[in-house]
Amino acid sequence: LGTLPMVPTQDGRWSRPTNTYRRTEDLAKVLGEALHLWLDASRLPSARSVQTFIDSLGIRRSPMARHLVDRMLFLAEKYVPSEEARRACAEAFYVLCDNYEEWKEKPFFQDAIADLRDAACFPAEGDGETWHTADALYAPYRADAFRSQARILDFRNTARLKTELLEKLEVSINPETKLVIGHLQHCVATSVPPHVSTYQVLNERAQREDPLIATLAGTRCIYV
């Protein structure tokens, strides 16, 4: 029975129990006000036995990967990346990250993620007009070291991001040395003190004998 469209939803239609949720504020925060996902209990008998039976059919209590991806795609299709839309997009993505270890080998997750790989549905810092594909963005880790030289993924809660998932989506994790050098030169040219992470990253690259570090010799790149 769980595979049959037999439970009423708030959009006036019927859905499979395994694709349906009892609406909660926490679910609405990550899935939006998606009426086709919410069980419409008002169209069912109120008897406790009926509600228990509906729950036993597999009404969902946590978001599906497919619904989280659909939420991100919907936001990008219907809205510009305003602050509110960015925040909603981030909430859906964080839940994908939260469940990555559990879901990563499952076909349903791999299929859902495949739809994100080429979709322009990711926000970039400072861009309130255009959504971007994942491969056009850099992860926000240590973004202060190269911010002026690249588009940064505007998901700010880095503690909830999953690096392995970002890599699968082809988000760039580490900035090229030329971007860090370019940012340092930009800071000098605009008289803005570079963030300490700029020097930290360059020092790390120097320890690895990155040949581009030599290009800094003799240039005016130290802020005083």
Side-chain angles (χ1 to χ4, degrees):
L1 291 176
T3 64
L4 300 176
M6 59 174 297
V7 296
T9 50
Q10 291 184 10
D11 64 350
R13 300 183 180 183
W14 298 83
S15 181
R16 292 182 296 173
T18 52
N19 275 344
T20 311
Y21 308 78
R22 290 187 183 274
R23 185 193 178 283
T24 66
E25 291 301 321
D26 286 342
L27 286 171
K29 183 178 180 179
V30 296
L31 297 176
E33 291 298 347
L35 299 183
H36 67 289
L37 297 180
W38 307 138
L39 172 70
D40 187 354
S42 69
R43 293 165 59 196
L44 292 170
S46 59
R48 184 177 182 83
S49 60
V50 174
Q51 300 300 324
T52 300
F53 172 67
I54 292 297
D55 286 338
S56 73
L57 293 177
I59 295 292
R60 301 197 63 83
R61 298 180 182 276
S62 59
M64 295 173 59
R66 167 51 54 192
H67 292 159
L68 294 165
V69 169
D70 286 348
R71 172 65 167 159
M72 295 177 66
L73 296 175
F74 172 82
L75 289 166
E77 179 182 356
K78 298 296 183 181
Y79 303 101
V80 297
S82 64
E83 187 66 28
E84 182 178 358
R86 293 164 187 253
R87 185 164 51 250
C89 182
E91 291 295 341
F93 190 76
Y94 292 148
V95 179
L96 289 171
C97 292
D98 292 342
N99 290 279
Y100 180 76
E101 290 301 327
E102 179 183 352
W103 289 350
K104 64 181 179 180
E105 302 298 336
K106 305 291 180 62
F108 71 80
F109 182 70
Q110 295 172 10
D111 290 345
I113 292 303
D115 288 346
L116 285 183
R117 190 168 287 111
D118 298 319
C121 62
F122 292 89
E125 285 186 4
D127 188 346
E129 299 295 329
T130 306
W131 298 92
H132 300 270
T133 56
D135 63 0
L137 299 171
Y138 284 76
Y141 310 131
R142 305 176 79 179
D144 287 328
F146 63 99
R147 177 166 276 115
S148 68
Q149 304 298 302
R151 292 192 180 99
I152 310 298
L153 176 64
D154 195 15
F155 291 163
R156 302 170 192 177
N157 189 346
T158 55
R160 290 187 68 185
L161 291 178
K162 191 70 176 179
T163 301
E164 190 176 344
L165 176 55
L166 294 177
E167 289 175 332
K168 285 187 177 296
L169 293 171
E170 301 182 9
V171 174
S172 297
I173 303 301
N174 295 305
E176 294 85 351
T177 301
K178 66 180 180 180
L179 296 183
V180 186
I181 292 174
H183 180 67
L184 176 59
Q185 293 171 333
H186 169 81
C187 290
V188 172
T190 56
S191 298
V192 174
H195 191 273
V196 64
S197 62
T198 307
Y199 295 112
Q200 289 172 339
V201 172
L202 289 174
N203 182 58
E204 292 166 6
R205 304 295 169 87
Q207 297 300 316
R208 298 202 299 262
E209 299 184 356
D210 189 313
L212 285 180
I213 298 298
T215 65
L216 292 174
T219 65
R220 298 176 62 188
C221 60
I222 303 300
Y223 185 86
V224 294

